Amino acid sequence: MYCSLLSHCSVKSQRTSCLRGLSTLIGPHQSLEVQNSVYISQSADPFFNITFEDWLFRHSPPDKPLLFVYRNSPCVVIGRNQNPWKEVNMTALRSSGVPLIRRRSGGGTVYHDLGNTNFSIHLSRRTFDRRATSQIVLRAVRSLGIEHASVNDRNDICVGDDKMSHRRTVDLAHVSGSAYKLVSARAYHHGTMLISTRLDTLGDLLRTDKETMVTAGVASVRSPVCNLQQFNHRVEHSVFTSAVVDEFRKEYHLGEPTDPTQYIDETPRELPYIEKGIIELQSWDWLFGQTPQFTYTIEKIFPWGSAIAEVRAKHGVILSCALRAPEAALSPVDRADLKQLETSFEGKMYGSWPQPNRDSPGIVVADVENWLAEMLR
């Protein structure tokens, strides 16, 4: 699908040989070597693509510029140091069946679907420059006829209608967000490019109202977003991919004949590193157990009075749950049941509902329990 649009890679047999060459390197005890500078995934599996990106990062030569382009089926991806309950509407996410993934880099929360293209630029750490890699992507966007694109202070790509700039201040909308990872010898800048993504779904899944949840993790910066197709309806995944590849090759003086584009299927799943990485991304310990410590304070007014709960959690496990209710509304039995309810939370995974050992709680405790069951998921 991509070969006809990428310069110097228009022959179908060349694409086939690229895939065949990749596959023949893989066996039960073999490893795959990073020999090319441009990799384009033909898989839409987010667990595979995110893990393969990490494999490229860990196994490419230290001084080799490398570009990886891919897109995923619908998923929500949070940053390495983020709190999923703070960032994502978990109720809407469960209802949609869209998977949640914690990536291995920092940055904020993003929504992926087939209308969103992901790019990843890997470089030697000593030459890595976030502004320079952002300019590669910016030039690619402008080459598609979207000349009023720009890079903001966070190195995100924004687009606005500059035809109105002489009459009023133009609010720019984001079409691309970025995240970064640096190790001893390598660094990468990866990001999303909204082309024709479902912005309504994005909004539903990333819209949260947990202002009283205080977390030690990194919070996303909320910004207005738009699609590239709103400015050029001819832009789609393969067209943007071609533009990014061209600008990347120009920047690092990489010739196609001697360094052809490598198209990959999911054959590398057989590599132990990738197989292990995919399993890790889907584990509770990685997805929720990496959550930094947070406190969530909530309050609700019932017919009998108001109740306040302060929940502390770390690494996805509840440390404590302090409950307060008006003394006048509590019988001695209610006080004992509330204390038992508090202790029943300790050590539980956040989002799972404990089962207190009580036969028939009073109305006060039953109200509080049902409220918490709804709020702490």
Side-chain angles (χ1 to χ4, degrees), residues 63-302:
D63 293 329
K64 185 181 187 65
L66 186 145
L67 172 68
F68 179 44
V69 182
Y70 61 97
R71 59 178 176 168
N72 292 325
S73 57
C75 61
V76 171
V77 183
I78 62 174
R80 171 68 177 81
N81 302 306
Q82 290 199 294
N83 181 330
W85 295 285
K86 175 78 170 180
E87 297 293 327
V88 182
N89 185 329
M90 301 297 278
T91 301
L93 192 73
R94 284 190 293 268
S95 299
S96 69
V98 170
L100 177 65
I101 304 172
R102 184 188 295 275
R103 63 176 178 268
R104 295 178 173 90
S105 65
T109 300
V110 290
Y111 171 71
H112 290 181
D113 63 14
L114 293 179
N116 175 67
T117 297
N118 305 286
F119 56 87
S120 181
I121 300 174
H122 303 217
L123 297 166
S124 164
R125 182 168 180 173
R126 63 181 176 82
T127 62
F128 184 69
D129 183 330
R130 301 181 185 196
R131 192 72 180 176
T133 50
S134 296
Q135 290 296 319
I136 293 173
V137 183
L138 177 62
R139 290 196 297 271
V141 171
R142 286 179 172 174
S143 74
L144 302 176
I146 307 174
E147 297 180 356
H148 41 278
S150 61
V151 175
N152 69 8
D153 292 339
R154 295 191 302 273
N155 295 312
D156 299 330
I157 309 295
C158 303
V159 182
D161 188 357
D162 61 355
K163 293 179 181 179
M164 298 291 292
S165 61
H166 64 286
R167 279 186 280 172
R168 61 176 175 82
T169 300
V170 179
D171 293 327
L172 299 180
H174 286 61
V175 292
S176 176
S178 299
Y180 308 90
K181 188 172 183 66
L182 294 85
V183 296
S184 58
R186 294 285 278 173
Y188 69 62
H189 165 191
H190 65 175
T192 61
M193 182 57 67
L194 299 174
I195 298 175
S196 59
T197 201
R198 289 291 303 269
L199 299 182
D200 55 344
T201 303
L202 180 154
D204 291 342
L205 298 182
L206 304 190
R207 187 179 297 113
T208 61
D209 57 356
K210 293 184 172 64
E211 294 182 2
T212 58
M213 182 176 283
V214 180
T215 178
V218 176
S220 295
V221 178
R222 307 286 174 173
S223 304
V225 296
C226 65
N227 284 314
L228 286 184
Q229 284 192 354
Q230 294 174 232
F231 302 91
N232 182 351
H233 69 275
R234 294 185 178 87
V235 178
E236 42 90 19
H237 171 67
S238 59
V239 173
F240 173 72
T241 298
S242 177
V244 171
V245 170
D246 286 346
E247 292 301 329
F248 175 80
R249 289 190 179 280
K250 290 176 186 176
E251 178 72 15
Y252 299 108
H253 310 291
L254 301 169
E256 181 88 23
T258 57
D259 190 356
T261 295
Q262 179 78 72
Y263 298 88
I264 63 165
D265 55 19
E266 292 187 23
T267 306
R269 275 182 180 271
E270 301 174 23
L271 292 171
Y273 185 97
I274 293 179
E275 181 181 25
K276 180 181 178 181
I278 291 173
I279 293 172
E280 180 183 53
L281 287 182
Q282 299 177 79
S283 69
W284 186 94
D285 284 345
W286 175 257
L287 180 56
F288 297 110
Q290 299 294 318
T291 304
Q293 184 168 332
F294 66 95
T295 301
Y296 189 26
T297 304
I298 49 178
E299 181 176 7
K300 184 175 176 63
I301 299 176
F302 297 96

